[in-house]
Amino acid sequence: MTSLLSCNGDASSRIPAASSRWNTSSLNSEKEEATSGLNKMPPSSGTAENGDANLPQNLLYYLEKHGQFDTLECATSIGEDHQKIVGAVKSLQTTEGLVETEERTSKSLELTAEGREMAENGSHEAKVFRIVGPEGAAQTEIMKLPFGKVGISKAIASGWIAVDKSGGIVRLIRKTDEIDDKVQRELRVIADKNTQSADVKVVQELKKRKLITEISIKSYLVRKGQAFSTVLSKPEVDLTADMISSGSWRTKAFKKYNFDALGLMPAGGHLHPLMKVRSEFRQIFFQMGFVEMPTNR
């Protein structure tokens, strides 16, 4: 009996130990899983910096280095959007005497959607020449293509192909083995903004075929102003008592008042004090559930 009790006692004493070991191992496993989960998480990428806020300051450094610049040429030089450059220059103009600007208008040639397709894949006449091939092709089959009619007429005018009616079927045959696709070449030149090296006659022909269009671009010539500085400081709006007491107002730049700006129009009339009390009582009755009866009966 004694041995049985001692055995039960030993068993009971061993059970908590086993359970404690199980709890410890389970906690360790959970801790390892949590740690491994943290290790598997991707590192934070951080906050992306916005370079647009520093663009006006960078333009001041650019102006200090070059003396003056054109906004369109500056955008091409630093690889920035032209509209962003113009916006930054406008923000610099808010500080009086910092910069001086002169508006310019320049013309540029741009490819239309059809022109971009030809610059990549060749002109319509060159496509027809390739389709005709050394063996020739039926004219009716080529006319079914979207570019067939224009391509055939331009290829015949260029002397690349000819019409053969000897076999009873109108066929197109080549008149030469090699061609020079001037249209594609000139379109690529214009796409690369090398308009000075483009052939004038070809450019006029491309305009007639609506492969290019002429656009006007407004830009600004930016020069240093009388109060130019590379330190961009915001002008003060109001004169404070601290400025007067310390004398710092002498070195501060203040924003000029616009005396030509229209003021706020005053409200026309107001309620009589008794009418105000009446309207307040009216709202109280509405909140209590009363309904206003029509008085025109």
Side-chain angles (χ1 to χ4, degrees):
M1 190 69 177
T2 306
S3 62
L4 180 61
L5 290 174
S6 63
C7 180
N8 291 337
D10 294 338
S12 61
S13 63
R14 286 195 296 269
I15 290 174
S19 62
S20 63
R21 286 196 301 271
W22 182 85
N23 292 333
T24 305
S25 61
S26 63
L27 290 175
N28 292 334
S29 62
E30 291 177 358
K31 184 177 180 180
E32 290 175 0
E33 290 177 0
T35 307
S36 62
L38 290 174
N39 294 333
K40 293 178 181 178
M41 291 179 62
S44 59
S45 58
T47 305
E49 296 181 357
N50 186 5
D52 294 344
N54 298 328
L55 187 57
Q57 183 65 61
N58 294 335
L59 289 182
L60 290 178
Y61 293 141
Y62 190 87
L63 182 59
E64 174 70 18
K65 180 179 179 181
H66 296 85
Q68 65 179 21
F69 66 86
D70 184 88
T71 55
L72 189 60
E73 296 176 357
C74 177
T76 306
S77 176
I78 66 177
E80 188 62 80
D81 183 58
H82 181 240
Q83 294 301 323
K84 290 184 179 181
I85 298 292
V86 173
V89 171
K90 293 288 186 182
S91 66
L92 293 177
Q93 285 183 301
T94 57
T95 304
E96 185 181 5
L98 187 62
V99 294
E100 296 178 356
T101 59
E102 178 184 345
E103 186 175 342
R104 287 180 168 184
T105 303
S106 59
K107 294 183 178 180
S108 176
L109 297 176
E110 284 192 357
L111 305 185
T112 61
E114 186 179 6
R116 289 192 294 269
E117 193 274 332
M118 286 191 186
E120 182 178 357
N121 302 319
S123 63
H124 294 335
E125 49 268 35
K127 294 177 185 177
V128 170
F129 180 82
R130 290 194 295 266
I131 294 174
V132 169
E135 304 297 330
Q139 183 177 358
T140 56
E141 296 297 328
I142 299 179
M143 288 291 290
K144 295 178 182 179
L145 300 174
F147 54 85
K149 184 177 180 180
V150 177
I152 290 173
S153 62
K154 294 295 182 181
I156 293 175
S158 300
W160 295 350
I161 62 174
V163 180
D164 182 16
K165 301 180 181 179
S166 60
I169 300 176
V170 180
R171 293 177 58 83
L172 300 175
I173 58 174
R174 286 184 176 181
K175 294 180 63 177
T176 181
D177 296 332
E178 300 291 337
I179 62 172
D180 180 18
D181 194 356
K182 293 183 179 180
V183 174
Q184 184 185 28
R185 186 174 69 250
E186 295 297 330
L187 287 174
R188 289 181 175 178
V189 169
I190 295 173
D192 295 336
K193 304 301 181 182
N194 296 326
T195 55
Q196 296 180 354
S197 59
D199 191 353
V200 179
K201 293 183 179 180
V202 177
V203 169
Q204 295 298 328
E205 180 65 22
L206 295 178
K207 287 183 180 180
K208 292 180 181 179
R209 296 179 63 174
K210 297 182 180 180
L211 301 179
I212 60 175
T213 180
E214 190 176 46
I215 60 174
S216 297
I217 302 176
K218 288 185 178 181
S219 61
Y220 295 89
L221 179 64
V222 184
R223 302 188 185 93
K224 296 180 181 179
Q226 296 179 354
F228 175 78
S229 174
T230 55
V231 179
L232 189 59
S233 59
K234 189 176 181 180
E236 300 291 339
V237 179
D238 294 323
L239 179 65
T240 62
D242 294 336
M243 294 181 186
I244 297 175
S245 60
S246 62
S248 61
W249 62 271
R250 295 185 176 88
T251 58
K252 295 286 185 180
F254 291 90
K255 186 177 181 180
K256 284 194 172 183
Y257 287 101
N258 184 10
F259 294 102
D260 296 330
L262 298 177
L264 296 176
M265 294 297 295
H270 57 275
L271 289 176
H272 191 273
L274 293 179
M275 298 300 293
K276 290 183 180 180
V277 175
R278 176 189 171 185
S279 63
E280 291 180 3
F281 275 104
R282 184 167 172 264
Q283 293 298 327
I284 292 173
F285 282 120
F286 282 155
Q287 294 174 3
M288 294 173 63
F290 288 89
V291 179
E292 200 170 38
M293 296 178 60
T295 59
N296 57 353
R297 292 183 180 180

